[in-house]
Amino acid sequence: MPMTPDNQSPLLEIEVKFDHICEALFSSAAEGLLVVDRKGTIKLLNIRAEEMFGYSKEEMQGQPVEILVPDAFKAAHVRNKEGYLQHPTRRSMGIGLDLSARRKDGSTFPVEISLNHFESDGEQFAMALISDITRRKVVEEQLAKLNEELEGRVQDRTRELRESQHLYSVIARNFPNGSINVFDRDFNYIFAEGRELFRMGVTSDQLVGTNYLARLSPLVRETVASRLKTV
C-alpha cells in the first residue's frame, strides 16, 4: 500500500524533520561551512561561506578548495590536504600558524579553521568550519601597539625617575652645614646625605639600614624618640 500523508510511517516523518533541521542548521550557521570530497572538490557550502568569500554557491560547487587559498600557500595546502584526507581526524587546521583565506576579488583575510570528517554512502568527506578573525586580529594589533606604547612610557618614566633621584641625591649630598636624614617608623635610616657626613667620614651606605636611636646616648634616646614620634 503506498504511503500517504495520513498513513506514512512515524519514523519516516521523524527522519524528514531531522533532515530539515540539519539543513537549517547548516545553512544558518554563523561560521562558514564547506564540505569537500576526497579529491578536495567543494560539494556543499552554506550562506555564510558565500558571504565570506564573495562567491555564489554555483561558482564554488565543483571547484577545488584551493580557489580559497592564497597563491603563496597553495602548494603547501595541497600537500597538507592530501595528508589529511588519507588520515582524517577532528582537529584545528594550521595549529600554531597564522592562516589566511582568499576571496573572489583576490583579497585575503585571517581565518581559523576546524576540520572534521564523515562518511556517506561509502564515500569519505571532510568538513571545514571557517571563522573570519579579522576583527580579533585588529584588536590584537591595537593591544600590542598599546602595550608597546605603555612599555615605552614606563621606560621613559623610569629613566626620568632615575635622573631625578640622582639629581636629588646630588643636591642632598651637597646640603650645607648639616645632613638630610630620612627614617622609617622604627627610626632606621632609609636615606642620609649631606656635607656634614663627609666631614665626619661617614658614608650614606654605612647609615642606611641602621637605627638612628642606637647612635644616641642612652640618656637622650627616649626623649628624642618621643619627639620624633610626635612628628
Side-chain angles (χ1 to χ4, degrees):
M1 183 176 66
M3 288 287 184
T4 66
D6 294 329
N7 62 7
Q8 65 181 359
S9 167
L11 181 58
L12 178 60
E13 183 179 354
I14 292 174
E15 290 178 351
V16 171
K17 288 182 178 180
F18 182 75
D19 289 341
H20 287 168
I21 292 172
C22 291
E23 182 179 355
L25 290 173
F26 184 88
S27 300
S28 62
E31 310 296 342
L33 289 172
L34 293 178
V35 176
V36 302
D37 62 14
R38 287 188 63 84
K39 296 179 181 180
T41 302
I42 300 172
K43 293 296 184 180
L44 289 174
L45 63 147
N46 66 350
I47 295 174
R48 179 61 182 130
E50 294 181 65
E51 297 171 346
M52 193 178 292
F53 293 100
Y55 289 97
S56 67
K57 181 184 295 185
E58 291 72 24
E59 289 176 311
M60 291 180 71
Q61 283 182 329
Q63 296 295 321
V65 73
E66 280 75 29
I67 67 169
L68 308 178
V69 179
D71 292 339
F73 305 109
K74 282 185 177 179
H77 182 269
V78 170
R79 293 192 299 270
N80 294 334
K81 177 192 67 178
E82 291 174 351
Y84 177 80
L85 292 174
Q86 289 177 4
H87 305 286
T89 57
R90 180 185 299 176
R91 64 176 176 83
S92 296
M93 181 176 172
I95 298 174
L97 301 176
D98 289 329
L99 299 180
S100 296
R102 182 181 184 276
R103 299 186 182 93
K104 181 180 178 179
D105 62 8
S107 61
T108 61
F109 60 102
V111 293
E112 282 185 350
I113 302 176
S114 297
L115 300 174
N116 205 346
H117 64 97
F118 63 93
E119 187 174 310
S120 178
D121 296 329
E123 188 175 356
Q124 193 78 29
F125 294 92
M127 182 170 68
L129 186 149
I130 307 167
S131 301
D132 182 346
I133 58 172
T134 300
R135 185 175 299 177
R136 186 206 304 173
K137 284 292 184 181
V138 170
V139 172
E140 289 176 352
E141 290 174 1
Q142 291 175 341
L143 287 175
K145 183 178 180 180
L146 178 60
N147 287 335
E148 185 177 348
E149 291 176 352
L150 289 175
E151 185 175 349
R153 291 178 185 176
V154 170
Q155 292 176 349
D156 291 342
R157 182 58 178 155
T158 300
R159 186 184 67 254
E160 291 171 358
L161 287 173
R162 287 175 179 171
E163 292 174 352
S164 298
Q165 289 172 351
H166 176 70
L167 179 61
Y168 296 151
S169 294
V170 171
I171 294 173
R173 191 169 298 158
N174 291 277
F175 186 76
N177 304 321
S179 64
I180 298 175
N181 304 288
V182 181
F183 312 116
D184 62 16
R185 289 183 177 275
D186 295 320
F187 307 114
N188 296 310
Y189 284 93
I190 60 175
F191 182 86
E193 288 289 359
R195 290 182 182 177
E196 188 67 25
L197 296 182
F198 287 94
R199 282 196 286 267
M200 295 170 57
V202 179
T203 67
S204 176
D205 291 339
Q206 291 174 318
L207 292 178
V208 172
T210 65
N211 191 270
Y212 167 68
L213 297 179
R215 305 179 67 85
L216 303 180
S217 166
L219 299 176
V220 298
R221 282 180 190 171
E222 290 188 8
T223 302
V224 173
S226 176
R227 292 180 179 178
L228 287 176
K229 285 180 180 178
T230 300
V231 174

